[in-house]
Each structure stands twice: as structure tokens, then as C-alpha cells.
Amino acid sequence: MTLTELKYIVAVARARHFGHAAEACFVAQPTLSVAIKKLEDELGVTLFERGGSEVSVTPLGAQIVAQAERVLEQTAAIKELAKQNKDPLAGPLRLGVIYTIGPYLLPPLVRKLIDKVPQMPLVLQENFTHKLLEMLRQGELDAAIVALPLPEHGMSMQTLYDEPFVVAMPRTHPWAGRQEIPADDLKLETMLLLGAGHCFRDQVLEVCPEMARYSSPAMDHGMQRTFEGSSLETIRHMVASGIGLTVLPRASVADMHDPHGLLAYVPLAHPAPSRRVVLIWRKSFTRRAAIEAVARAVAECKLPGVDMVKLEAAA
């Protein structure tokens, strides 16, 4: 049994596809398949049920894969321990960021870190929350910036900031002159939302009960209809073209009162819905100074409209 074989079975369990798993591991599919068959023969068990293009994990295989993930995490921890006597700020930091934060936080954050800790370049990964958590567990990332709520994760966590939501609409919309908009009013409009998999979509539906109620396809009244987009910027352009309204995180709006823009932005009525953005990392990760450097840099980015939270001890 080798660490490489454990890495392969974890990759297959995640991708549910031998070819995609091989691509993720940067090996040829026959190499990966032979290694997994060798491990199955050594253990005397079947880890995966192979049926055409679909691959499923057997019940015992799921237990073994879970143990393999823990072994790989502990292996990464051993490597980190070997670096303890070195400068924790020296060397790359692999940082993940969710899609709805990356475009607005990363440009100022990267500039800050280049100025403050040029010896610690960032290796960046944008992805969905659940994917970033998987990569953290397997040691493929050192830390990630995500939004609450999170599934059970067992990570250390540092709160960064609270970010309110705002409503975006064409500048010609009758609501453009309002001071605020009750969430209940959104059911009267065509709403544009991110597609399934984006945690921001779930957060918007959670904090705007009327949207959660009336966005159901089974409902034939209330909210007229919803469209799904792949990114906030795609949705922003759709709103500008007059297709409907959307809800955006405040940091994605550089100027709430731009008189020359195609869009108008109005806050949601009190209590204003918001999301809490946090930095998470494995408890076994030893470069605490690197984590603190990222948290301080985020605090200095001065994102528009967000409320920075005082840095405290990790949870």
C-alpha cells in the first residue's frame, strides 16, 4: 500500500470517474486503474463498482476512502512539521476562494500581500465551497476564504467581515429611487439568481424568505419567475439589459450611487440580510503566521460596504 494509491482512490471517489480522476492526478488512466486494482487485490476487497461510464463507491470502500483522506491529511501535516524551524512566511500559500468573493477581494488582497510579504506568493484556486473543503481536507489547499454557513468541517476558522446584500436593477426601474427595499417585495419581480452549487444562491434564498418560497417551480403565483446565471457578472449584465432584478453582495458594488451606470443599487430593508466571510484552514497546518498575514491583509483591503470584524483567536 502506498500514499500514491491512497491518493488515487480518493480522486476516483471524488470524481466518480476513472478518466477524470486520472486527469486530476496528472497520470494516464491505465496507470491509475492498475494501481487501484493492485490495492484492491492487496486488501482483498472491492472499493468501486464499475458500471459503464459510472463509478460508485462500495460501502466498505467509502470507509476506506475516508481513512485514506485522514492518512493523506496527516502526511501533509508531517511535511508541515518539517518546516517549523523555517520562516512560516517563506514559500507559496495555496489559498482557495469561492466564486462570489474572488473577483472583488483577490485583486486588492494580492497587491497587499505582495507589499507586505513578497516572499509568500499566493497560489489561488476559485471554486465552490464544498470543493474547497475537499481540497483542504486532502492537503491540496492551505486555507480558504468562504462564507457561512458551512457544513461540519472540523477546521480552524477566523472571521473576516460581514457583508450586507443589495438589490440591483436597471436605472429606469420604478424602485431605483427608493431608500430601501423590503425582501417581501421581491416576489413581485423577475429575479435572476446564481445556479445551483453556488453558496451565495443558498444564502440569498435563506435570508430572503419570500424568494425561497416563491422561487419554487411548483408555485404558480407570487414571484413571476427566476433565471439562473453562472456568475454574478453575467447576472449583472442581464439585469442591465432589463431582464429582471438580482441580489448582490455589497463588495461587488464599487459605487452604490454611480450616476452614469446602467444599474441602480438599493439596500434591502432592516434587518438587512448579510453573510459572514471567514478564513478556514486545517488544524494541523503549522504556518499560523501565514494565516495571520492573510487575515490582516484582508482587513486592510477596505472592501466597499463591508463591516470588518476584529481579528480574534481561531475557533
Side-chain angles (χ1 to χ4, degrees):
M1 184 186 305
T2 66
L3 291 175
T4 298
E5 290 167 353
L6 297 184
K7 180 180 178 181
Y8 289 169
I9 66 171
V10 168
V12 172
R14 185 197 307 178
R16 295 294 198 273
H17 190 282
F18 278 82
H20 296 164
E23 292 175 5
C25 294
F26 302 102
V27 296
Q29 181 175 337
T31 300
L32 179 138
S33 298
V34 168
I36 291 179
K37 184 64 169 61
K38 173 179 172 292
L39 180 59
E40 288 181 321
D41 291 343
E42 178 182 345
L43 297 177
V45 300
T46 300
L47 300 174
F48 303 104
E49 294 178 355
R50 301 152 173 89
S53 61
E54 295 184 359
V55 175
S56 59
V57 187
T58 64
L60 179 57
Q63 296 179 50
I64 293 175
V65 167
Q67 183 63 38
E69 291 176 337
R70 290 190 286 269
V71 170
L72 292 173
E73 180 179 340
Q74 290 304 312
T75 302
I78 291 173
K79 294 179 180 179
E80 291 299 330
L81 286 171
K83 299 177 183 178
Q84 280 186 342
N85 292 327
K86 300 179 181 179
D87 180 3
L89 295 177
L93 182 77
R94 300 167 299 172
L95 180 68
V97 187
I98 58 175
Y99 291 117
T100 57
I101 291 178
Y104 318 109
L105 174 61
L106 287 180
L109 177 62
V110 170
R111 287 194 297 270
K112 287 286 182 185
L113 289 172
I114 289 175
D115 291 341
K116 301 288 185 180
V117 281
Q119 72 275 32
M120 190 184 78
L122 293 181
V123 179
L124 300 170
Q125 168 73 236
E126 277 190 296
N127 217 314
F128 298 109
T129 297
H130 70 278
K131 289 290 187 182
L132 296 179
L133 285 171
E134 287 181 7
M135 296 177 76
L136 274 172
R137 292 189 185 102
Q138 296 179 23
E140 298 174 20
L141 288 177
D142 300 319
I145 296 175
V146 297
L148 299 182
L150 292 173
E152 184 63 33
H153 53 81
M155 303 283 173
S156 293
M157 183 170 67
Q158 172 68 64
T159 300
L160 298 175
Y161 58 85
D162 293 321
E163 180 177 26
F165 302 157
V166 299
V167 181
M169 66 200 72
R171 183 161 294 282
T172 56
H173 194 279
W175 293 355
R178 287 191 182 186
Q179 296 299 308
E180 60 181 26
I181 296 174
D184 183 67
D185 287 1
L186 297 178
K187 69 180 182 181
L188 304 175
E189 296 291 317
T190 297
M191 297 301 299
L192 311 182
L193 302 174
L194 284 173
H198 289 273
C199 62
F200 183 69
R201 170 196 171 92
D202 299 332
Q203 290 155 3
V204 169
L205 292 177
E206 181 178 349
V207 299
C208 300
E210 289 300 332
M211 290 181 67
R213 177 182 175 189
Y214 292 104
S215 63
S216 170
M219 302 298 292
D220 57 2
H221 61 283
M223 182 180 290
Q224 294 178 13
R225 51 184 174 159
T226 61
F227 290 88
E228 295 182 355
S230 60
S231 74
L232 291 180
E233 294 311 306
T234 298
I235 289 177
R236 199 192 304 260
H237 287 296
M238 293 172 69
V239 172
S241 69
I243 295 175
L245 278 61
T246 195
V247 175
L248 297 175
R250 177 63 181 84
S252 70
V253 182
D255 184 357
M256 287 281 288
H257 307 291
D258 180 8
H260 305 295
L262 296 176
L263 298 179
Y265 302 98
V266 181
L268 283 157
H270 182 79
S274 65
R275 66 177 177 179
R276 171 154 288 192
V277 175
V278 300
L279 177 64
I280 59 175
W281 65 96
R282 292 184 308 280
K283 292 180 179 179
S284 59
F285 186 63
T286 60
R287 295 174 62 189
R288 181 58 188 270
I291 297 295
E292 292 173 350
V294 172
R296 287 195 301 270
V298 171
E300 296 174 6
C301 283
K302 302 187 185 303
L303 294 175
V306 309
D307 296 320
M308 290 296 173
V309 177
K310 182 179 179 181
L311 298 181
E312 299 175 351

